[in-house]
Amino acid sequence: MGKRQKIIRIAGDMLKGIGILAGGSILGTLLLTAVYLLPVSPMKENVARSSAIFDYEGVYPQLVQGYKASQLDNCTDAIMLGIAAYSEETADGIRNAAALAMDARRVEFRGDDPVRSLNDYANDVEGKEERKQVVGYTRYWHGYLIPLKLLLLFFDYGDIRFLNLFIQFFLTGWIMILMVEKGRKRLLLPFAVLICVLNPVAEAMSLQFSSVYYITLLSLLGILRREKMAGYAARFFFCIGMMTSFLDLLTYPLLTLGVPLTLMFLLFEGRMEEKLLLLVKACCTWGLGYAGMWGCKWLV
């Protein structure tokens, strides 16, 4: 391949990346705006029904006392639910919905932690108006609001936890079945160890942990279903980086890079230098997708 052809190919790849980034940002904005057009009253009612869970568990409960690996983040979950259930006494409309989607506003009461603020807001507790304030969380996309708002129309926090547990165990089992079908039984043990270290129960019980976990599991499914990834690995990891930036609320985003990257490395049958080059490309494109999507939030 000549120098001119290489330049043309690189320019073409860059244009494709910009197109994917622009398309993802537009789609994400439209979907977030759409869920902000949904009625908030049933969401707030379901959050209010969840108050007993937060009252019983507290802010940072541990499923097994003394083990930090079993600790849940009810504090961040309360922030997520507070954003999902927030409403304003203004005229409904696309412009207002888009503004709320970009600002990610919620109510908090000065001097109270997010859990207590959420419970008081959802239950319309009186006598705290002087300490009430509306705060925004604009630094992130908060893409998790798309499934969360839809779920809160019908389910409370406990229901969503149980649904999380079911879906995540289903995806885990599907991955293990594919490993067997593809003749990769040797991967079962390290994959099982990984799942145990991550603590699947804690992943399902904390909404904050789930976004990155879902992206990782679905990425593994995508790699296993199409093992020969050399031709599209760069775009694949670029999209994973974008999805991580869109859905994650600053948890452990590198999981969506490291775990799929490890599986791809193990499945790729080329020479070692080809493997290393593929890893470098995947890391760079994942980073570009993550940073690019994060920057697009500010452009929007």
Side-chain angles (χ1 to χ4, degrees):
M1 183 183 293
K3 185 176 180 180
R4 184 177 179 181
Q5 289 177 315
K6 286 183 179 180
I7 294 174
I8 293 173
R9 182 176 60 81
I10 292 172
D13 290 340
M14 291 177 64
L15 288 174
K16 287 179 183 178
I18 293 172
I20 293 172
L21 194 60
S25 301
I26 294 170
L27 179 62
T29 302
L30 292 176
L31 289 174
L32 281 170
T33 301
V35 295
Y36 266 92
L37 292 170
L38 298 172
V40 181
S41 296
M43 301 180 196
K44 190 174 179 181
E45 290 174 5
N46 278 317
V47 171
R49 286 173 53 197
S50 309
S51 299
I53 296 175
F54 288 107
D55 288 337
Y56 176 74
E57 293 182 350
V59 182
Y60 293 109
Q62 293 180 356
L63 298 175
V64 181
Q65 290 299 317
Y67 286 83
K68 292 285 285 185
S70 69
Q71 181 169 295
L72 308 181
D73 191 353
N74 286 359
C75 179
T76 306
D77 277 11
I79 292 174
M80 295 166 68
L81 291 170
I83 295 172
Y86 175 76
S87 63
E88 289 188 346
E89 297 178 0
T90 56
D92 293 330
I94 294 177
R95 181 184 293 274
N96 185 55
L100 290 175
M102 292 298 100
D103 288 346
R105 302 170 198 166
R106 64 183 175 88
V107 169
E108 71 175 18
F109 297 93
R110 288 188 295 274
D112 290 345
D113 60 59
V115 170
R116 174 49 53 197
S117 292
L118 175 69
N119 284 354
D120 289 347
Y121 170 68
N123 291 285
D124 295 317
V125 174
E126 297 180 354
K128 305 183 71 173
E129 288 75 14
E130 292 184 358
R131 295 197 287 126
K132 181 179 178 180
Q133 59 184 1
V134 176
V135 296
Y137 207 157
T138 59
R139 294 194 298 276
Y140 305 103
W141 274 99
H142 299 277
Y144 60 83
L145 288 171
I146 296 169
L148 182 57
K149 275 181 162 288
L150 289 170
L151 289 170
L152 283 174
L153 288 173
F154 310 101
F155 307 111
D156 63 22
Y157 184 52
D159 298 330
I160 296 173
R161 279 178 161 183
F162 185 81
L163 186 63
N164 251 350
L165 190 65
F166 176 79
I167 296 174
Q168 290 174 11
F169 269 94
F170 172 77
L171 292 175
T172 302
W174 190 4
I175 290 170
M176 298 181 82
I177 290 171
L178 282 178
M179 287 178 175
V180 174
E181 289 180 350
K182 299 288 185 178
R184 305 287 180 171
K185 293 182 181 179
R186 61 190 176 88
L187 298 178
L188 289 174
L189 180 59
F191 178 66
V193 171
L194 168 70
I195 297 300
C196 290
V197 169
L198 290 174
N199 194 334
V201 178
E203 296 284 350
M205 297 282 278
S206 279
L207 303 183
Q208 187 209 14
F209 300 156
S210 295
S211 299
V212 164
Y213 195 53
Y214 275 122
I215 296 171
T216 302
L217 294 178
L218 291 173
S219 298
L220 295 180
L221 281 172
I223 294 172
L224 285 168
R225 288 179 64 84
R226 186 176 178 181
E227 292 188 16
K228 296 181 180 180
M229 290 195 58
Y232 70 101
R235 288 193 296 274
F236 183 75
F237 278 89
F238 185 78
C239 292
I240 293 176
M242 287 176 56
M243 287 296 297
T244 305
S245 181
F246 183 69
L247 293 171
D248 182 39
L249 188 57
L250 196 60
T251 53
Y252 48 123
L254 285 177
L255 187 77
T256 67
L257 172 64
V259 176
L261 204 60
T262 302
L263 180 62
M264 186 182 68
F265 183 85
L266 293 171
L267 296 181
F268 187 66
E269 298 178 350
R271 300 190 307 273
M272 182 55 67
E273 55 267 28
E274 292 176 333
K275 284 188 174 186
L276 293 176
L277 180 60
L278 195 62
L279 293 184
V280 171
K281 286 182 178 179
C283 288
C284 291
T285 53
W286 184 95
L288 288 171
Y290 186 94
M293 192 67 180
W294 186 84
C296 282
K297 169 66 190 292
W298 297 102
L299 292 177
V300 173

